């Protein structure tokens, strides 16, 4: 198929940036979206032009590194799918596709489609863990966990930290990301000891990073490639309230 | 041979590690605070080592090339992690896990290392559960297990098809906790480009900040490479796009021996190549072989659809050839069997280079179990299949979804098409029992080292080894070295060795930028991959390997004359990053072929066509090849072979049989 690509180009963090137009032909519907960009880049290099910079690594939908905003949607048109798993059969011949980086104050653009998501690391470092040193653990089956709790905890833990929730939210809120971790650990016996402190520290760090608040529009859940549920935000709010009341 | 001392402790196999731990020299807490350790890589091995060493009190610097340590490719591991817990009461034990691993590796691993791995395996599960890793559980609240290839017990712990993700996020959370405490300094988007050597010891690294392009010097009393495997030498593999050999290769050039480079794991169940645009291959977890049955049509060039081929005209070739293990034979065996069928003309799909992985029988079986569980009567066949599909979805849903997205086919209705693909490299930097390379102070952990899997790795053992090395081995063994180093003050990075090393790295970057050729980096990488896959892939022979070596040498020349890298080096430049990695892959590819040429026997993932039994199985030659091939770098394209003899005191090597 033949396509027109409207891609955000920005030399570095200080550059103002803008859209560039490219036309591309000979794209097969069996290609992944990133393979289509590979083809574009290969042709740009052939013309001695700079290829489009974008983040990607595993190309299996699990590392969370790919991060394109495609036609106004994080990771493009397919539900529950990362950009790397999106395939060109989602588009048709003659389409114009607009490709932008994540846009949020907490995710400054590094170059072209590459953004800085280190804020997420700092949020985890503020409390997204169980403080257990290596070697402290008792036998794993001494901790029994009801299957529904384990399953729900796992569903939250499936977050890949890509930032689609932030990019989709009109408030650039990171609450789905933060709540997924809070929820995962709040549901498990291992997470109980630090439960209060965890939610307080993580929310404080989230605010410090410049992410907005949640106004329940639900776009994060709709665009999350791992379909993390909005109910985790509700749980985080409860956790946060309880932690503050009990002080 | 004198150059290689594996330092396996003396004594009985069962007590080696216990005795070692209680006699290893210690570093007191005050001294630990003034010792700095560099960890390169943040996957299971790197994150677990960095966090565990920081917990002990060392000052740690951790580097990764991705935007966050949580992206490391361990995250993509699907199926599970082995541990000798015997929770299933099915006869598992440390000895049995040890035995399965040594046998699975076709008797090309060290007994001492493998036994230690099996010993600490149970601690790993405990540690991960304590961190809040949500493993799959039974209704009673206890941990669930499943089977993997090459074993007859259920010892694999899992979290749906995302076990690697959950384990890595556990290790990552431990790492970030230390970052928050200030004991680990994290350098994301940094790539290590050389080791700094002072007085014959590894004392630091040169790293490039991938955003600014600036080179940085970092000192460490010791340097740990936890940089994964080199499967991307084949261009197409299940590895992440960024996975590379550069750190290990730079270490090799500084004197670290490379062990068994030709041992490559070709995983039997991956989604087949769909065209020239293909950028990577996607694995379908081995756990699927618990329930999926592999088959091809009995007739050659059968053009019918899978559903149109009646049962009696299907060849379940693994069940036919290996009745004892059936579809759960080890990976090397399953891959070769698929290749054999396709080469015979029985392959399926448009390319005819694929076999079926069929869940129809499993769906029906699970459906009937559900019917019984739910106490239903007079249930229609459709309802049974519906219930069966739900059960299969719960077990493998994410894998089925991934398959559907990539191929556009529904695997609940038609069998998956699969074909082998490069997945893991058993070879890597040679290390002794302490995980130290042949360079003092330089360690290699996880897939980056060569140690525990011999010539073939069993499924669910990579996660086990990465975490064993990082959580439970290195925190002890590094004391042997660092206890002798407590008087060494931090060396300022204006030391001439740092200046020299940086200059050398800068020169290579300048050279690459100044070639200004006409071909992209990928052009060369694809060419290299094709040579490697054709001549050093699932089957190898003397003629092909000899041809490959000259083809790779020619390609190396072409690369250094013809590569084109747009942009500049003082900015984020992804092509420049790739170019450096491909330059190293080209040199490594040559060494892999040399190693494969030298090893005239077949063993594990290394199949030499000249060395096969009458029924086409791999034929080992213990009299001549029961050794680790450790290669010393002697200049580009030049290497010297050192042999570490393998001694088997407990397990007696025999023809590996899964029949």
């Amino acid at each position: 198929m033949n396509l027109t690509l409207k891609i955000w180009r920005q030399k570095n963090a200080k550059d103002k940036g803008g859209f560039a137009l490219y036309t591309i032909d000979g794209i097969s519907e069996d290609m992944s979206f990133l393979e289509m960009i590979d083809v574009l880049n290969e042709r740009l290099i052939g013309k001695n032009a700079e290829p489009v910079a974008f983040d990607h690594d595993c190309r299996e939908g699990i590392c969370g590194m790919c991060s394109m905003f495609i036609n106004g949607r994080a990771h493009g048109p397919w539900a529950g799918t990362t950009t790397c798993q999106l395939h060109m059969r989602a588009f048709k011949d003659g389409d114009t596709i607009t490709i932008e980086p994540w846009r949020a104050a907490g995710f400054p653009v590094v170059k072209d489609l590459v953004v800085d998501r280190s804020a997420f690391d700092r949020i985890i470092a503020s409390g997204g863990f169980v403080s257990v040193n290596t070697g402290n653990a008792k036998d794993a089956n001494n901790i029994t966990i009801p299957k529904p709790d384990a399953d729900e905890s796992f569903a939250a833990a499936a977050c890949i930290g890509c930032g689609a929730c932030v990019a989709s939210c009109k408030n650039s809120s990171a609450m789905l990301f933060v709540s997924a971790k809070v929820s995962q650990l709040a549901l498990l016996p291992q997470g109980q000891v630090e439960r209060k402190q965890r939610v307080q520290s993580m929310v404080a760090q989230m605010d410090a990073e410049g992410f907005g608040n949640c106004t329940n529009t639900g776009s994060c859940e709709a665009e999350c490639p791992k379909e993390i549920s909005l109910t985790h935000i509700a749980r985080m709010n409860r956790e946060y309230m309880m932690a503050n009341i009990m002080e | 041979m004198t150059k290689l001392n594996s330092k396996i402790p003396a004594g009985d196999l069962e007590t080696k590690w216990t005795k070692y731990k209680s006699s290893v020299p210690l570093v007191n807490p005050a001294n630990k605070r003034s010792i700095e350790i560099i960890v390169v890589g943040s996957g299971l091995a790197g994150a677990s080592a960095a966090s565990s060493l920081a917990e002990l009190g060392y000052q740690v610097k951790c580097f990764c090339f991705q935007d966050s340590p949580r992206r490391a490719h361990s995250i993509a591991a699907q199926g599970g992690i082995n541990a000798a817990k015997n929770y299933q009461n099915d006869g598992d034990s440390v000895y049995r896990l040890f035995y399965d691993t040594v046998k699975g590796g076709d008797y090309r691993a060290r007994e001492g290392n493998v036994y230690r791995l099996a010993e600490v395996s149970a601690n790993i599960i405990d540690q991960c559960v304590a961190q809040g890793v949500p493993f799959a559980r039974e209704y009673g609240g206890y941990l669930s297990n499943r089977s993997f290839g090459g074993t007859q017990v259920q010892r694999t712990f899992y979290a749906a098809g995302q076990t690697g993700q959950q384990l890595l996020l556990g290790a990552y959370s431990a790492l970030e906790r230390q970052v928050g405490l200030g004991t680990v300094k994290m350098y994301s988007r940094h790539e290590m480009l050389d080791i700094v050597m002072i007085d014959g010891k590894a004392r630091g690294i040169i790293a490039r900040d991938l955003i600014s392009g600036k080179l940085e010097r970092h000192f460490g009393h010791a340097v740990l490479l936890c940089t994964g495997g080199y499967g991307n030498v084949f261009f197409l593999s299940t590895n992440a796009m960024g996975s590379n050999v550069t750190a290990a290769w730079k270490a090799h050039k500084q004197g670290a021996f490379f062990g068994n480079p030709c041992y490559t794991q070709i995983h039997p169940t991956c989604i087949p190549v769909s065209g020239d645009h293909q950028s990577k291959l996607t694995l379908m977890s081995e756990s699927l072989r618990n329930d999926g049955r592999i088959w091809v049509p009995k007739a050659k060039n059968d053009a019918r659809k899978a559903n149109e081929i009646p049962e009696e005209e299907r060849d379940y070739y693994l069940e036919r050839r290996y009745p004892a293990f059936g579809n759960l034979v080890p990976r090397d065996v399953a891959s070769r069997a698929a290749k054999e069928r396709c080469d015979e003309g029985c392959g399926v799909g448009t390319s005819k280079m694929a076999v079926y992985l069929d869940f129809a029988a499993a769906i029906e079986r699970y459906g009937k179990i559900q019917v019984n569980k739910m106490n239903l009567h007079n249930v229609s066949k459709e309802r049974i299949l519906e219930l069966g599909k739900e059960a299969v979805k719960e077990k493998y849903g994410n894998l089925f979804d991934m398959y559907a997205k990539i191929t556009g086919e529904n695997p609940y209705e038609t069998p998956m098409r699969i074909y082998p693909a490069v997945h893991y490299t058993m070879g890597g930097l040679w290390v002794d029992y302490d995980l130290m390379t042949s360079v003092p102070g330089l360690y290699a952990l996880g897939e980056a080292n060569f140690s525990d899997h011999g010539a073939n790795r069993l499924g669910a053992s990579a996660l086990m080894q990465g975490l064993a090395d990082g959580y439970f081995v290195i925190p002890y063994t590094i004391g042997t070295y660092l206890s002798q180093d407590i008087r060494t003050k931090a060396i300022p990075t204006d030391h001439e060795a740092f200046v020299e090393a940086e200059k050398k790295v800068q020169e290579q970057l300048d050279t690459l930028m100044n070639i200004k050729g006409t071909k992209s980096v990928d052009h060369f990488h694809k060419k290299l991959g094709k040579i490697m896959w054709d001549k050093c892939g699932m089957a190898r022979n003397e003629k092909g390997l000899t041809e490959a070596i000259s083809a790779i040498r020619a390609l190396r020349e072409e690369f250094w004359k013809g590569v084109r890298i747009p942009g500049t080096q003082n900015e984020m430049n992804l092509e420049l990053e790739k170019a450096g990695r491909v330059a190293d892959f080209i040199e490594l590819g040559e060494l892999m072929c040399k190693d494969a040429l030298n090893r005239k026997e077949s063993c594990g993932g290394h199949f030499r066509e000249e060395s096969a039994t009458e029924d086409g199985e791999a034929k080992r030659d213990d009299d001549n090849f029961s050794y680790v091939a450790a290669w010393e770098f002697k200049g580009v394209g030049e290497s010297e072979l050192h042999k570490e003899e393998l001694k088997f005191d407990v397990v007696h090597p025999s023809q590996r049989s899964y029949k």
Side-chain angles (χ1 to χ4, degrees), chain B residues 196 206 217 493-505:
Chain B
V196 179
I206 303 297
R217 307 169 190 172
T493 54
D494 56 6
H495 185 284
E496 60 179 334
F498 278 95
V499 177
E500 267 308 302
E502 184 184 318
K503 202 173 131 216
K504 212 177 84 195
V505 171

Side-chain angles (χ1 to χ4, degrees), chain A residues 132-154:
Chain A
V132 52
N133 282 359
T134 304
N136 280 350
K138 55 183 175 179
D139 186 88
N141 259 350
N142 278 337
I143 306 171
T144 51
I145 301 171
K147 190 172 186 310
D149 290 354
D151 288 350
E152 201 176 343
S153 174
F154 171 76

Side-chain angles (χ1 to χ4, degrees), chain B residues 94-379:
Chain B
V94 168
Y95 181 83
R96 216 182 272 276
L97 173 52
F98 152 78
Y99 175 82
D100 286 345
T101 308
V102 172
K103 178 188 171 193
D106 218 355
Y107 307 97
R108 289 293 174 263
R110 288 183 195 138
E111 283 190 335
N113 281 56
V114 177
Y115 198 87
R116 175 177 67 187
L117 176 66
E119 259 182 294
V120 304
S121 65
N123 303 112
I124 297 170
I125 303 303
D126 299 341
Q127 184 64 32
C128 295
V129 166
Q131 288 169 346
V133 170
F135 282 117
R137 291 187 180 256
E138 304 293 349
Y139 281 97
Y142 294 98
L143 290 157
S144 175
N145 290 114
R146 60 187 174 199
S147 303
F148 255 64
T151 68
Q152 290 172 313
V153 295
Q154 293 198 314
R155 65 160 72 99
T156 305
F157 295 79
Y158 64 99
Q162 290 151 255
T163 318
Q165 181 200 22
Q166 293 309 315
L167 294 175
L168 182 65
L169 294 182
Y172 160 76
S173 71
L175 174 67
E176 287 299 334
R177 175 176 162 236
Q178 296 303 318
V179 171
L181 293 171
T183 53
V184 174
K185 178 123 177 56
M186 188 69 220
Y187 295 83
S188 296
R189 292 203 202 268
H190 276 67
E191 179 163 28
M192 186 206 104
L193 291 178
D194 214 349
I195 302 280
V196 179
M197 302 283 296
I198 297 176
D199 299 331
K201 294 175 175 169
R203 288 299 191 189
I205 64 168
I206 303 297
R208 181 165 177 265
D209 177 333
L210 298 180
I211 295 180
S212 68
K214 287 204 178 72
L215 294 180
E216 295 174 1
R217 307 169 190 172
H218 295 276
F219 164 79
H221 286 81
V223 177
L224 276 51
L225 300 185
C226 311
T227 48
Y230 48 86
N232 272 349
V233 68
F234 291 86
F235 185 71
L236 285 182
S237 82
T238 65
N239 285 186
M241 301 303 285
S243 299
N244 67 82
V245 77
T246 288
W249 195 253
K250 302 297 188 201
H252 177 55
K253 288 180 140 179
Q254 294 279 10
F257 293 178
F258 213 104
N260 299 330
C262 80
Y263 290 167
T264 314
Q265 176 157 83
I266 317 274
H267 195 291
T269 54
C270 300
I271 300 177
V273 173
S274 75
D276 292 338
H277 57 265
Q278 194 93 26
S279 60
K280 76 152 276 162
L281 296 168
T282 302
L283 177 74
M284 288 285 105
S285 165
E286 179 159 312
S287 61
L288 293 172
R289 287 198 274 144
N290 269 292
D291 286 312
R293 295 179 72 196
I294 294 179
W295 63 276
V296 291
K298 279 185 181 163
K300 290 182 186 180
N301 301 314
D302 194 327
R304 289 175 291 177
K305 286 184 183 154
N307 301 342
E308 295 164 356
I309 301 175
E311 196 61 27
E312 62 276 11
E313 291 177 41
R314 299 175 176 192
D315 178 12
Y316 295 90
Y317 58 87
L318 288 177
E319 297 169 30
R320 168 171 61 79
R321 285 178 67 177
Y322 309 100
F325 282 69
N327 290 296
L328 281 175
V329 291
R331 293 174 174 178
D332 54 337
V333 178
S335 290
R336 277 197 293 278
K339 179 179 188 302
E340 190 271 335
R341 283 293 85 197
C342 293
D343 289 350
E344 277 298 302
C346 296
V348 301
T350 43
S351 66
K352 297 287 170 199
M353 291 306 274
V355 300
Y356 288 128
L357 177 60
D358 194 339
F359 291 87
I363 287 172
E364 190 168 340
R365 180 160 48 85
Y366 282 119
K368 285 179 180 160
I369 294 173
Q370 284 303 107
V371 166
N372 289 336
K373 250 193 209 166
M374 295 160 78
N375 211 6
L376 304 174
H377 303 284
N378 299 327
V379 186

Side-chain angles (χ1 to χ4, degrees), chain A residues 2-93:
Chain A
N2 301 322
L3 300 164
T4 304
L5 304 172
K6 196 175 157 194
I7 302 180
W8 186 261
R9 302 299 307 256
Q10 183 174 335
K11 194 138 183 58
N12 52 45
K14 286 178 194 140
D15 183 29
K16 191 159 159 268
F19 283 105
L21 273 183
Y22 304 93
T23 51
I24 188 164
D25 59 354
I27 296 299
S28 142
E29 62 171 24
D30 285 331
M31 286 181 189
S32 72
F33 196 81
L34 296 185
E35 283 167 349
M36 183 272 292
I37 304 279
D38 289 343
V39 172
L40 171 71
N41 278 344
E42 197 66 16
R43 293 183 192 171
L44 288 174
I45 295 167
K47 291 188 223 157
N48 228 345
E50 259 206 73
V52 179
F54 63 99
D55 267 331
H56 65 114
D57 202 24
C58 79
R59 296 203 179 187
E60 293 182 27
I62 195 74
C63 76
M65 197 143 168
C66 61
S67 53
M68 292 181 190
F69 209 68
I70 302 163
N71 286 345
R73 297 187 62 180
H75 295 299
W78 283 358
T81 306
T82 54
T83 299
C84 65
Q85 295 294 90
L86 175 65
H87 276 63
M88 293 313 291
R89 65 183 88 85
F91 300 92
K92 55 183 194 303
D93 188 43

